[in-house]
Amino acid sequence: MAFLRRLGWYLVGLSIGIVFLVFFLKKKSGEEGIEFCYFPNCRVLKDMRSKPLTFAEDFPEKYRDTLLIQSFLSDGDVDFGRSDTESQPCKTYFISLPNNGKELLLRAQNCGDKMVAENVESN
């Protein structure tokens, strides 16, 4: 009888813990706009999305679409092999995005207070 009683109390505590866990994880999920980024690609893109977007003077006119740049920053892949993450004052990143069967490559600078889109190349 003692074992069944301990098992009952264990199950009661486990169910209360699961209810609290589900409640807190639901608060931290995408419903509230909070996003967990632990991989380098996700962290860089999230940091760049949080800053105001500016275009370089020689940025191609046909790519001056903030929705396209936002799609780079939400769905793109950072090429850390080509990127210069040690440059000062702004780090230079190359972000690739498949678009209509072609791959677009964005060269962007991540500065402390802004994100500068420098160039878009089509492959």
Side-chain angles (χ1 to χ4, degrees):
M1 187 68 170
F3 173 73
L4 291 177
R5 188 174 188 161
R6 284 187 301 195
L7 182 64
W9 284 113
Y10 172 77
L11 292 176
V12 167
L14 182 68
S15 62
I16 291 172
I18 288 174
V19 167
F20 279 121
L21 185 65
V22 167
F23 176 73
F24 287 122
L25 288 181
K26 185 181 253 187
K27 283 283 191 182
K28 291 186 176 187
S29 69
E31 296 173 354
E32 301 294 322
I34 299 172
E35 182 181 347
F36 293 104
C37 288
Y38 295 112
F39 294 114
N41 186 62
C42 184
R43 293 178 68 177
V44 167
L45 294 177
K46 183 178 180 182
D47 181 47
M48 292 173 90
R49 279 193 306 265
S50 68
K51 297 176 183 175
L53 171 66
T54 57
F55 293 103
E57 293 175 6
D58 58 344
F59 193 80
E61 193 64 38
K62 74 176 192 175
Y63 293 119
R64 280 189 185 255
D65 181 14
T66 56
L67 293 177
L68 176 66
I69 303 301
Q70 291 300 326
S71 67
F72 270 103
L73 298 179
S74 61
D75 300 327
D77 292 321
V78 178
D79 185 1
F80 287 102
R82 293 181 64 186
S83 300
D84 184 13
T85 60
E86 301 296 324
S87 62
Q88 292 294 331
C90 300
K91 299 175 182 176
T92 304
Y93 291 102
F94 288 90
I95 305 167
S96 62
L97 177 73
N99 187 13
N100 295 332
K102 294 189 271 184
E103 186 164 312
L104 297 176
L105 186 67
L106 170 70
R107 184 177 71 223
Q109 287 194 349
N110 188 10
C111 302
D113 58 344
K114 64 182 176 179
M115 195 280 278
V116 180
E118 289 186 333
N119 192 12
V120 173
E121 302 168 359
S122 176
N123 292 337

